[in-house]
Every structure is written in C-alpha cells, then in structure tokens.
Amino acid sequence: MRSMEELPPLEPVDASGGSSWAAFASLEDLCGGGGGELDWGHLPLCPTTAEGGSISGFPPLLDVPESAAAATAGERSSDPPAVSADAASSVSSEEPAPESDEKATNDTANKSNSKKGIKRSRQPRFAFMTKSEIDHLEDGYKWRKYGQKAVKNSPFPRSYYRCTNSKCVVKKRVERSSQDPAVVITTYEGQHCHHTVSYPRGSSSHLHVATAFAAAAQRLRALSSDSTSSSPLYLSPPIQFPDQSSTPSLHATPTSPVPPSEHHEHLRPSPASTFAERAASGSPTVDEGLLGDIVPPAMRK
DNA sequence: CGTATTTGACCCGCGC
DNA sequence: GCGCGGGTCAAATACG
C-alpha cells in the first residue's frame, strides 16, 4: 500500500447502456500481480448502466486478496470515468479465509487482540464506491465513529465507524476518493449479526448501498460456502433500482418518498438471491445474514 | 446526564 | 533497525 501514487487511468469501457464505472481489470491486476496490492484504480468498477435513471447491472463482486483489501479500501480509486449515472457504485469484496491467513490478519485484527496474543481472523470486506455528496451513507444500521485519519495522498480524511450494536463487530471505513471528490468509498468489514435499526428512507442511494451490501454479503457467503467455486469473479445480475428516474441525484430524494418496503418489493428478485443462485450453484436460501438485515424475509418470497 | 464525536497518542505491520 | 502509514484506543469535548 505504499505504492499507490500512480494510478493507471481506467479505461472507459462502453458498457451496455453506455454507462460508466466500466472498467474491468484482470485478476492479476486486481491482485497486484504478486504484490498483493489492490489498486482501486484496478478495481472492476461496476459497469452499471443507467437507463432512465435506474441502474441495471450490478457491480461485480470481486474477491480481493487479503493484503489487497487491507491495502485499500480505498483511496486508490482512480478517477472513475465519467459517470453518466448520477448514482453509481461499485463493489469489491474480500474473501474471508478465516483460518488460512492469520498472517494477513494485520492491523485491524492484530490491534484489538495483540494485547491478548490472540489473532482474530479478518472479517470479510467489501467496498462500495458511491457517487455522493454525503460522506456517511445511510445503510440502515447505526454507526458510531471511533476514529478518523488523514490519508496519504488524499486531502480527505478517512473515517472509521463501528456498528453501535455491542454484539456486532462490523466496521466500516468511509473516505472520499482523492481522484474524484464526488466519490465516496465505503468499506464494510464483517457481517452484521442483527437487523437494521431502521430502514433507510428517502434516498435511493441508501438502497443502493444497502442492496449492494446485501448482495455482496450474499456473494461472499455463497463463495465461502462453496469452496469449489474457484473464480466467479464477475457477476452482474440485472437489478432494477426503482425510482432512480425520479431521483437523479444520489442524495435526498424528496420527490420519491417511496417506502423501503416498496423498494424492496421492486428489488425482487433480489440481487442477493441472484448472486446466491449463481455463485452458490442453486442454493436460493443462502443464509439470510445481511440480506435478512436489509430485506425482510417476507419480502423475499 | 447520557450519548456521540473529535482528536492525539499509541501500536503494529511492512518496506526500505 | 528505522521510519512510515494504517488502524484503534480513550480522554476530552460537544450535543441532545
């Protein structure tokens, strides 16, 4: 993570529908070759397409190597090629690899357990790049800020949040891309063991985050449970985000006070299940974890 | 007064 | 071994 200065510009790819964040990199690139570094500039930004405001095409989930994810979270985002969609986000995820990489369990884990000499396996992570003016995007959970650090090569600080639920160890980091201040990079680490404290409302961006989050989680879980899946890196199940047409902007959506439930309704078939079905080769009932957190069971049927 | 945020210090891993 | 940078802690402060 000490070599992020040079961020290769993303090659704008003409994603179907013509939209943005379109840049896929090879796995080698993503893994930094042998460096294990993940450049956000290399992230397979999701080729979300904006059609009439709604986004179709889900950000591909990426299995990020430990060191890579650690390196990152962010900041490395190169300038996302013009985003034609007003709201777009990309997701990358990190496979947990709980037992195998105690070593990779750096900083975060070590920190909290080093005192006891116990290493904690790292939590799965996934990052979202969201174009928004709001730093801390609502995702339905309540977060408590526990730190903030200036980030090298970035004028924007990185904020650290922890889920307020004492039993939940989920953390998230929020920072703005130095390349594109309009882009907020949110990195989640861990999985909630409880439901949302409240549904996000008012902003469809919230849904994007929440939905992407859920999908990412599902994806991670699917992969985790299916050890044989060696490389389902890019998946882009179609997702229809409702109300985008009426809410061109990510923040505030005064004109589309669509209740969360409706959003979820529209989101069916949920991206998560789609992911699950694809990645976990037909296990529609992948655990409910995040999906459950975000989409009420009743809504998923 | 309880809770959340701010912020400087500290610890640790990694690269040189 | 040293320095740098990331991540976390915890006391102080702000806010409701």
Side-chain angles (χ1 to χ4, degrees):
Chain A
M1 65 179 97
R2 332 284 185 194
S3 59
M4 299 300 180
E5 280 75 29
E6 301 146 33
L7 300 177
L10 291 172
E11 295 290 336
V13 176
D14 186 18
S16 64
S19 195
S20 37
W21 294 112
F24 285 86
S26 67
L27 182 55
E28 287 69 38
D29 286 340
L30 291 167
C31 295
E37 296 284 354
L38 167 65
D39 267 329
W40 275 92
H42 283 159
L43 269 182
L45 298 180
C46 89
T48 52
T49 59
E51 297 169 358
S54 43
I55 296 176
S56 61
F58 197 74
L61 288 171
L62 165 69
D63 298 325
V64 184
E66 287 291 335
S67 57
T72 101
E75 214 4 80
R76 307 354 185 182
S77 69
S78 57
D79 18 14
V83 179
S84 50
D86 288 289
S89 62
S90 68
V91 178
S92 73
S93 63
E94 171 185 1
E95 269 303 292
E99 291 109 356
S100 63
D101 70 342
E102 295 191 345
K103 176 185 177 183
T105 305
N106 32 9
D107 299 9
T108 328
N110 288 343
K111 188 57 185 178
S112 57
N113 291 304
S114 59
K115 294 174 183 175
K116 297 177 182 177
I118 301 173
K119 288 187 178 181
R120 181 182 58 190
S121 57
R122 176 178 307 193
Q123 300 293 310
R125 291 181 180 180
F126 20 96
F128 300 85
M129 291 181 71
T130 308
K131 195 171 179 66
S132 169
E133 293 179 3
I134 303 170
D135 287 335
H136 192 190
L137 298 170
E138 281 297 331
D139 55 12
Y141 291 94
K142 202 163 191 310
W143 301 92
R144 173 175 180 150
K145 189 174 185 175
Y146 67 89
Q148 179 173 304
K149 286 279 288 188
V151 180
K152 188 185 179 187
N153 294 326
S154 173
F156 309 103
R158 173 182 298 159
S159 297
Y160 299 88
Y161 296 88
R162 177 175 293 155
C163 183
T164 55
N165 186 317
S166 59
K167 295 178 182 177
C168 184
V169 296
V170 179
K171 296 172 197 169
K172 81 172 180 181
R173 291 183 300 201
V174 177
E175 63 188 289
R176 280 191 178 280
S177 166
S178 59
Q179 303 302 311
D180 184 349
V183 175
V184 176
I185 300 168
T186 304
T187 303
Y188 289 90
E189 181 174 329
Q191 297 176 358
H192 292 282
C193 59
H194 58 97
H195 291 273
T196 54
V197 294
S198 65
Y199 280 108
R201 47 214 203 113
S203 171
S204 53
S205 68
H206 296 168
L207 277 170
H208 292 168
V209 175
T211 304
F213 187 21
Q218 286 298 313
R219 173 85 170 81
L220 277 176
R221 294 179 178 218
L223 288 174
S224 303
S225 61
D226 180 16
S227 59
T228 61
S229 64
S230 58
S231 65
L233 279 177
Y234 309 120
L235 295 175
S236 300
I239 293 178
Q240 293 299 328
F241 287 98
D243 308 317
Q244 272 300 101
S245 56
S246 61
T247 59
S249 179
L250 244 190
H251 48 282
T253 62
T255 57
S256 63
V258 179
S261 59
E262 281 195 38
H263 278 295
H264 293 307
E265 189 79 304
H266 284 123
L267 287 173
R268 287 182 304 125
S270 84
S273 64
T274 305
F275 271 116
E277 289 172 19
R278 293 196 187 184
S281 60
S283 76
T285 52
V286 197
D287 58 348
E288 312 188 347
L290 290 164
L291 174 60
D293 290 345
I294 299 167
V295 182
M299 304 302 285
R300 300 205 299 279
K301 288 200 163 181

